[in-house]
Amino acid sequence: MAHEPRLTTLLRELLAAHRVAALATVDADGAPGVSVVPFAVDPQQRCLVVHISALAPHTAQLQREPRAALLVAQSETAGEPVHALPRVSVQVLAQTAQGEALASARAAYLARFPEAEPMTALPDFRFVCLHPQAGRQIVGFGAARTLDADTLRAALGPAP
């Protein structure tokens, strides 16, 4: 069995435990915006997957500027310090899924959100693969690291 670094295991666990993320995009004027989106991990493509509507502003923004960022964070617990909450921010390159990538993205998304299956028939929705480029992982107070694309892809792939 291959060894996985502890922080990579914690990253994998964070992504598995949380189903929504904050997606940051920019509009045509360069103004930033943030949306909350459900996401899935596609271990075959080693990417994150969102299922988004053409009616949502972030969809057009991703088509115009595919560079975006995603934040996944542990929820706060009442009475506990918030500065040490585990979280990861990931710089991504968005790409509308097509062909084999579409089948893989759809399967990964529906495995996590089977209740979304009827929405996949709506013509304005599409699956978008968010390919990791770089990131920053916070594990706790004073415990952080910068992530390169290879480390992120390893955490998105099958567990060793």
Side-chain angles (χ1 to χ4, degrees):
M1 177 186 277
H3 169 72
E4 181 171 76
R6 181 182 75 83
L7 294 181
T8 301
T9 299
L10 291 173
L11 175 57
R12 182 187 301 280
E13 291 170 355
L14 178 71
L15 294 170
H18 299 281
R19 300 179 343 140
V20 296
L23 175 66
T25 57
V26 295
D27 68 16
D29 296 325
V34 179
S35 303
V36 173
V37 293
F39 76 94
V41 174
D42 182 341
Q44 183 178 333
Q45 297 185 81
R46 296 179 185 253
C47 69
L48 300 163
V49 177
V50 293
H51 187 233
I52 55 179
S53 168
L55 302 175
H58 55 248
T59 302
Q61 292 165 357
L62 288 173
Q63 287 180 319
R64 188 188 50 73
E65 173 52 78
R67 293 177 299 167
L70 196 78
L71 173 69
V72 178
Q74 180 177 310
S75 301
E76 71 176 281
T77 303
E80 295 293 321
V82 295
H83 297 92
L85 289 175
R87 58 199 179 270
V88 63
S89 60
V90 184
Q91 297 169 8
V92 298
L93 190 61
Q95 183 176 35
T96 299
Q98 298 178 22
E100 288 181 26
L102 174 58
S104 180
R106 184 179 194 281
Y109 194 86
L110 290 178
R112 191 166 218 193
F113 303 105
E115 69 279 7
E117 199 279 329
M119 290 191 317
T120 65
L122 298 174
D124 65 306
F125 274 82
R126 68 200 67 181
F127 289 98
V128 175
C129 297
L130 303 175
H131 299 281
Q133 306 298 300
R136 183 85 176 144
Q137 179 185 13
I138 311 298
V139 180
F141 188 75
R145 68 177 175 159
T146 298
L147 302 164
D148 61 21
D150 290 337
T151 302
L152 285 160
R153 281 193 293 269
L156 297 174

